[in-house]
Amino acid sequence: MIIPEKVKKIVQKLNDAGFEAYIVGGCVRDCLLQRKPQDWDITTSAQPQEVKKIFPKTYDTGLKHGTVTVVCEKDHYEITTYRIEKEYYDCRHPSQVIFTKSLKEDLQRRDFTVNAMAYHPKEGIQDYFCGQEHLKQKKIQGVGSPKKRFQEDALRMLRALRFSAQLGFEIEPETYQALQEQKALIQKISAERIHEELEKMLQSQYLEKICLLWESGLLNEISPLLYQKMLQHGTNILQELKTAPLDRIIRWTIFLQYLTPKEGEQLLKDFRFDNHSIKSIVMLLEHLKDEIPLQEYEIRKKACEITPEQLNRLFLIQGQKKDTTKWLHCLETIQKRGDCITLKTLAIKGKDLQKHGIHGKEIGETLSFLLDIVHRDPEKNNKQILLEYTKQK
Ligand code: ATP
Ligand code: MG
């Protein structure tokens, strides 16, 4: 396994101080699959206070849960003390975290067997729950009783689907059955966490697995409206997502395309999207069906209305249903050439008009009139020429 030197050093330092330490979780899984890990997590028998004594630069991430972040040059690594989680309340949070001296107990509290492996550069893989075998079989299986594990923390149901979509794995039958039985518990999970998992699913490689979201019924508990749309159009949507660019705004718009802009907006608000994303996605939902003539004037005008970036997205989305390469090419040419698209680059400003005796409401009207002239013929974006037009008007 190829482990960064810095990570090895952290493990070594903990060992030198007399503690056990292992690389753990997603990064071990990803290394075995020859995927690039998102981050490197370390699990140790040392208590947070002891970890803090060993490393010069640390900050507290979740002391109660035993997590300290070690800063090594510019990189950050989470070091978590071996722990057991006791009695979950609200289907998400353990009421008590108990530190333990046993690596096996720490691995046992983790969600899926493929996520429950540890690795030590000298001792190799520590695998108590058949994680390696399940990696080979490409399956997501709960550690222990999946039913109990989903009852403890309902977010794990969405994580199961997300890992399935990211890795292209099947969900093991008992785990899937438990998920179907416990699906209503997802309602206890915060909108932010659901949003985060769906976001990762939409960016994942094995998009066809997303159909489990509605086939299992889980989506009905998250959004009955979206669930209904997916039963009807899901297959087509997944087909379109497969060939769509990774841009998250584009992906969400395709995913929500059968909602009205109003319904889309409500859903995005419910799932605590930031205002900028809401605005972008809703705007695209509003314009999805626009038929824009393949003429430079129309494209400049539309780019001005919704911004060139959004128009580019619109053509890419529409491109999933018809060939829009010519439109994309035309927009690209317009941008490369630096044609004037908005008032920002118009060669004449409100101040100039004032100097020529135009005031109040008339300024805005005149600027729009001039911008339209320039949209028709970008060569006319010249102060002298535009002043002439103003006089004629
Ligand atoms: P990613 O590629 O998204 O980082 P990951 O498997 O590393 O995937 P993280 O959320 O970073 O997932 O969590 C790291 C590890 O912590 C997991 O691999 C798993 O062992 C454990 N873990 C995380 N969330 C849970 C959970 N809700 N229940 C049980 N174990 C969890
Ligand atoms: Mg991770």
Side-chain angles (χ1 to χ4, degrees), residues 25-26 29 38 109-111 115 153 156 159 162-163:
R29 174 199 70 217
Q38 297 279 329
R109 67 151 175 108
R110 294 172 184 271
D111 47 5
N115 287 347
D153 178 358
R156 290 171 186 155
R159 282 173 61 88
R162 189 251 290 183
F163 287 124

Side-chain angles (χ1 to χ4, degrees), residues 26 38-39 41:
Q38 297 279 329
D39 35 42
D41 295 324

